[in-house]
Amino acid sequence: QVQLVESGGGSVQAGGSLRLSCAASGNIFGLYAMGWYRQAPGKQRELVARITSGSSTDYADSVKGRFTISRENAKNTVYLQMNSLKPEDTAVYYCNANNYNGVDYWGQGTQVTVSS
């Protein structure tokens, strides 16, 4: 069982920055693929960024060049640095851990609000 706790959400004006953190329990964090997803009101949850156990990364087209995902295995933590934020980035952001065997774990979510 993996428990994920997100932090770092908040309110910011367009063009601003936020950094989300996701702390994971357990001592096998380094074996999991980690991801950030988001869900805006009335919309489906979508992948924002993902980082593999080997630190390969993948981004949604809408955030490429603005967001950066990284992981620090020694701290069991994954980060999402969000720059040049836009109002359309407003959503609840969720941390995800995947064990490569079809099992997903989710955090409780953290709200990000970007005002114009």
Side-chain angles (χ1 to χ4, degrees), residues 5-107:
V5 179
E6 301 103 332
S7 61
S11 297
V12 65
Q13 289 191 327
S17 298
L18 286 172
R19 188 175 84 153
L20 305 183
S21 299
C22 172
S25 64
N27 58 4
I28 55 174
F29 174 81
L31 301 180
Y32 284 71
M34 301 298 298
W36 286 97
Y37 290 71
R38 67 186 181 187
Q39 187 167 20
K43 295 188 177 181
Q44 289 188 330
R45 191 173 297 189
E46 63 176 0
L47 175 68
V48 175
R50 180 170 48 206
I51 185 166
T52 68
S53 58
S55 294
S56 295
T57 58
D58 188 28
Y59 296 92
D61 287 343
S62 59
V63 306
K64 282 181 181 176
R66 300 188 297 123
F67 291 11
T68 303
I69 189 171
S70 61
R71 65 190 299 158
E72 192 168 357
N73 290 343
K75 294 186 176 181
N76 283 6
T77 302
V78 62
Y79 305 98
L80 185 69
Q81 178 66 45
M82 306 186 293
N83 297 329
S84 302
L85 282 161
K86 303 176 181 180
E88 52 263 44
D89 295 317
T90 295
V92 178
Y93 284 70
Y94 296 91
C95 180
N96 168 269
N98 179 275
N99 70 353
Y100 294 103
N101 284 306
V103 178
D104 284 291
Y105 300 94
W106 296 92

